[in-house]
Each structure stands twice: as structure tokens, then as C-alpha cells.
Amino acid sequence: MSENPPIEVGANPADIARNRALGAGTIDDPYPRYDELRTSGPVHALSLSDAFDLGNMTGDFGAKGRTQFSCYDWKTVDTVLRDAETYSSESYALSLGAVIGRSMIQMDGPEHRRSRALIQPFFTRKDMEGWRQRWVQPAVDRILDEILSRGEPVDLYTELCAKLPVYTIASSFGVAPEDVGRFHELAVTQTGLTNSPQDRLRAAEEIADYLKDVIDLRRQEGGDDLIGVLCNVEMEDPEDGSPERLSDAEILAFARLMLPAGSGTTYRMLGCLLFALLESGQIDRVRGDADLLDAAIEECLRWEQPLTSVMRLVTRDTELSGVKIPEGSIIHASLAAANHDPARYHDPHLFDIDREKQPHATFGVGPHLCIGMHLARMEIRTAMAGILDRLPGLRIDPDQKKPWITGLLFRMPTAVPVVFNA
Ligand code: HEM
């Protein structure tokens, strides 16, 4: 548990309230407890909040009333996430799906594959240079221009990390630059588990109203941004093979999924990376060394993954690593504990950018492996290049409160206050 007073970590009030409810300022170092849980057995009849004595943490996502289990070692987490027949993503219907509509993240089997295949071609590694030039580099330049024109003191966490991913996704949808800030608030409100259902639905509706105008325009005039691509995608009706297009509702569900999936995660991750490189004094090592910067990004993804746990609905009575689990239960698979499993990583709690390469679980495993992982990595790389280039002599501001990483379901720095040589 944290010994620090309550903190305000987040980009706006909805974000701050959500972070607090999910353990920010309460759980600073969950790793010893993960070790304890992993050592005492692979599967526990505990929800994530029970495992940390957090009361009914809203992060247990509408699973209240169901029997809950959680697992903490690499092998068991990997088994759960690869076996979508037994461990279904329909679990998301209990939380995210209720607000954003049915989207690929809550689908399984052929329905999931079909839905994912529609947008996968837009997110390949080779598409990233196009994304960078069109949406990411302009966003990085604009944010750094704003920072430089305002001068110090700067909290890079709220002034850069929080803005970049949402600017990127929103511009890829065709949202006008002046509306991006409002979009950010709405994106956080729609998924904010501490907000009332009415507020969340209202935010989802406002996003839908805005995007419907973009969809109408793209249907009439075409366009090669993300909404334009989704409007024009052609597929076969699974029943009779006739050609069909996505409906407005399907496009909106895609778009409403992308906002939270692509923004909250990447912004926390970039914050953790800046914190880790600055705090450990290794920021100068990655300057001008693209390979080492990539290694630092991968290591930070493993060391402080922004989203620490995902949950699945158990579809049949089963046995997992020797523990019987009844149909209808929820299982929380801890990506964070898997990433710190000493059976897979030497000295796992250490941030070691020279570590030997070993895949991590941060983007998930199996059929739902994050579709935006190349985008997230490229955004982080582009942001770091801009920061290193335009903020020379970057260091933690010694006159501000010392930051630290906190949170249970999401991990994030409390702030990244910096000074640089203007
Ligand atoms: C560091 C940044 C990111 C992290 C840590 C992350 C993490 C994850 C994880 C763990 C999953 C799997 C969820 C599950 O199995 O239940 C996932 C899925 C997904 N992510 Fe990401 N993500 C990041 C960035 C992004 C970005 C930038 C986008 C797109 C704009 C994105 C879009 C998605 C989508 C659409 C899915 C669902 C895929 C499916 O159901 O097949 N993510 N992400």
C-alpha cells in the first residue's frame, strides 16, 4: 500500500477518478504480492481486487455476483489467453460492450476473425510509416511546439503523453484538430468505470453524433482515413455470400473501441518509459541509438505494462493448472505477474534495457493480440525522437515533487516533471 497522500494523477477529472478507483495512489508496488500469489499456487479463487484487499474495485468490471478466479504465472496466463473456446472474451460484454456496443474485443472464433480481418490491413508494420508521416509526426511536432512556447515547468505526462495517442487516433478518424481535446474527455468518460452509466452513455452518444457526420461524408466522397476505409470495406454476407458493407453501428463500435484501446494504454506506457529512463539516468544512452531505444521500449513494456490484467468468461466446467473452475466463472489473467515471472525472466523486477530479448505479455497473447501494437511502438519511438531532439539536457525537475509509478489495473507515473536546456 502507498504511504503517500491521495494523488491527482490523470489528464482530466474523469481520468483522475478512474485511476484512483483502479488503485492509483493506493497500490504503488504490486510486485511482491504478485510473487506471493504466484508462489502459493498458479490459480486463486480471488478477484483482482480481493487479491489486493481493494474492496470492490470497479476494475472487476461488472463481474460482481460471479465466482472469480485469478492467475499469476506465465504458463497459466498463456494457456487462458490462447484457449478462446474455454475462456471467452464475451466477458467484455459485462463492461466495455455495454457502453461502446459489440466490437471485436468481445467476440470469439469466426465472428472475431472476420471482424478483426477488416481492419488488420490498416495496422501492419509496413503501414506505420504512412501513419507516422500523416498523423503521428504532426501531433508530436504540434505538442512540442506548444510546450516550447509555454516554457518550463513542464509535466510531460499530462502535456505530452496524455495528448499524443488521442490526437493520433482522433486525426486518423478525421476529427478536426480543434475538437481533439473534447474527444479526449469523451473517450475517458465513456469508459470511466467510476462515472454514472448515464454520463458514460451520453459521452458515447456524443462521440457517435460527431462520427456519424464523418461517416456520411466519407460515404458520399470517399477518403482514405480510418473511417473512409471502414466505409468502403467490402465483405461477403456469411449467410448467402452476397456482398455487403459495414453498417454505421458497426463502424461506430470499431471507432469507440479504438479510442480507449489506443489512447489510455499508449499514454501511460510513454509516461512509464520517460520516467524509467530519466530516473535511472539512462536517457543519454538511448540518444542516437535507435536499437537501444527499441530495446528500452520493449523492456519498459515488460517491466511496467500499462494494462496489467484482462479477464475472460469460462464457457464450460474445466480444470486450469490443477484447479477446478466452474462454467460461468470469471478468470482474471495477470499480464503484469506473467511479465515478472522469475521462471521466464531473470531478476524480473529490474528495468534492464540490456536484457536478452524475450517476448512479453503486455499486448496480450493469442487471438486478441493487440491490433495496435505496431502503432503504439511507433508513436512511442516518434515521441522519444522528438523529445530527445528538441528538449536537450532533459532531466527530472529537482524542484517538483519526486514522481513514482502507481496503480493496480493500470500502471502509470504520478507525473513526469522535467527541466531542459532551453
Ligand atoms: C502500449 C500500448 C498498448 C497496450 C499495452 C495494449 C494492450 C492490449 C491488450 C493487452 C490487448 C488484448 C486484450 C485482451 O486479450 O482481452 C489489446 C487488444 C486490442 N488493442 Fe491494444 N494496446 C495498446 C495500444 C493499442 C493501440 C495504439 C490500438 C489502436 C489504435 C489498440 C487497439 C487494440 C484493439 C482494437 C484490441 C482488440 C483486438 C482484438 O480483440 O482482436 N491498442 N491491446
Side-chain angles (χ1 to χ4, degrees):
M1 290 279 171
S2 172
E3 290 171 7
N4 293 298
I7 48 159
E8 298 232 323
V9 49
N12 58 39
D15 197 19
I16 291 168
R18 178 173 65 172
N19 287 336
R20 269 210 205 126
L22 300 178
T26 316
I27 307 284
D28 287 345
D29 182 5
Y31 297 104
R33 176 68 180 139
Y34 285 140
D35 288 345
E36 209 175 86
L37 288 157
R38 195 189 307 104
T39 310
S40 58
V43 180
H44 294 260
L46 290 170
S47 72
L48 191 61
S49 48
D50 289 341
F52 281 82
D53 250 350
L54 258 191
N56 181 27
M57 182 180 81
T58 44
D60 288 345
F61 293 144
K64 211 172 148 210
R66 287 176 185 269
T67 317
Q68 295 192 51
F69 293 84
S70 44
C71 56
Y72 301 93
D73 66 294
W74 178 277
K75 200 165 150 280
T76 311
V77 167
D78 188 68
T79 303
V80 168
L81 297 183
R82 286 186 195 280
D83 179 0
E85 274 184 32
T86 314
Y87 306 101
S88 160
S89 290
E90 198 59 41
S91 50
Y92 283 103
L94 304 170
S95 54
L96 203 56
V99 178
I100 68 170
R102 191 169 178 78
S103 71
M104 83 177 100
I105 202 158
Q106 81 176 72
M107 297 172 183
D108 299 307
E111 185 195 19
H112 170 251
R113 283 195 288 280
R114 175 180 161 271
S115 181
R116 187 173 163 116
L118 294 175
I119 57 162
Q120 181 98 57
F122 209 59
F123 287 92
T124 65
R125 200 193 294 258
K126 75 173 171 33
D127 291 311
M128 289 306 119
E129 183 51 20
W131 274 81
R132 189 189 68 76
Q133 288 178 15
R134 198 161 164 197
W135 293 308
V136 178
Q137 192 68 56
V140 169
D141 293 345
R142 179 177 155 199
I143 294 167
L144 284 170
D145 287 347
E146 282 167 13
I147 288 175
L148 284 163
S149 71
R150 260 197 323 270
E152 297 165 5
V154 182
D155 172 11
L156 283 183
Y157 189 50
T158 49
E159 293 182 34
L160 190 149
C161 307
K163 291 180 181 171
L164 175 63
V166 86
Y167 279 29
T168 302
I169 295 289
S171 4
S172 78
F173 289 168
V175 172
E178 61 275 17
D179 296 332
V180 163
R182 176 73 188 138
F183 239 76
H184 190 189
E185 268 175 44
L186 293 171
V188 173
T189 307
Q190 81 162 357
T191 47
L193 297 158
T194 50
N195 300 327
S196 70
Q198 293 88 332
D199 283 349
R200 295 176 66 189
L201 282 171
R202 219 174 290 132
E205 277 311 309
E206 200 177 318
I207 291 176
D209 285 344
Y210 189 99
L211 291 179
K212 269 183 197 147
D213 292 342
V214 182
I215 293 173
D216 287 345
L217 205 66
R218 297 292 179 273
R219 287 211 195 279
Q220 286 159 25
E221 298 176 3
D224 60 356
D225 56 19
L226 196 46
I227 300 289
V229 168
L230 290 172
C231 285
N232 290 316
V233 93
E234 279 218 9
M235 57 204 177
E236 281 184 0
D237 185 307
E239 312 262 290
D240 60 14
S242 62
E244 63 169 12
R245 299 230 157 155
L246 289 173
S247 66
D248 285 7
E250 285 171 310
I251 296 176
L252 286 172
F254 267 125
R256 284 194 291 213
L257 169 64
M258 289 297 165
L259 273 171
S263 54
T265 44
T266 313
Y267 113 63
R268 291 185 176 88
M269 162 56 198
L270 181 54
C272 287
L273 179 66
L274 279 165
F275 170 89
L277 288 173
L278 287 165
E279 269 293 305
S280 66
Q282 298 187 79
I283 191 96
D284 290 326
R285 284 191 65 203
V286 301
R287 195 185 296 277
D289 186 339
D291 290 341
L292 196 58
L293 176 59
D294 280 349
I297 292 172
E298 288 314 301
E299 171 62 352
C300 191
L301 282 161
R302 181 202 67 83
W303 177 68
E304 281 295 11
Q305 53 295 296
L307 171 67
T308 65
S309 187
V310 294
M311 77 185 203
R312 295 291 189 260
L313 180 65
V314 180
T315 59
R316 56 186 174 216
D317 290 349
T318 189
E319 198 173 297
L320 178 64
S321 298
V323 176
K324 286 195 177 354
I325 308 210
E327 178 186 341
S329 309
I330 288 292
I331 178 138
H332 300 267
S334 175
L335 308 176
N339 279 342
H340 285 244
D341 185 341
R344 188 173 168 90
Y345 303 99
H346 175 69
D347 206 353
H349 306 326
L350 187 72
F351 173 65
D352 175 8
I353 67 178
D354 302 308
R355 184 181 291 279
E356 210 172 289
K357 260 192 184 169
Q358 172 76 296
H360 51 70
T362 300
F363 289 118
V365 176
H368 289 273
L369 179 70
C370 177
I371 213 166
M373 64 183 181
H374 300 308
L375 175 58
R377 288 177 170 126
M378 182 272 288
E379 279 182 80
I380 290 165
R381 218 178 284 131
T382 309
M384 287 303 300
I387 291 167
L388 291 169
D389 184 40
R390 297 186 64 191
L391 309 180
L394 190 71
R395 57 210 180 272
I396 294 282
D397 184 345
D399 297 331
Q400 302 292 323
K401 188 170 178 194
K402 205 170 153 38
W404 70 98
I405 293 183
T406 188
L408 180 57
L409 187 65
F410 298 126
R411 298 288 290 162
M412 69 210 90
T414 51
V416 185
V418 294
V419 285
F420 47 91
N421 306 333

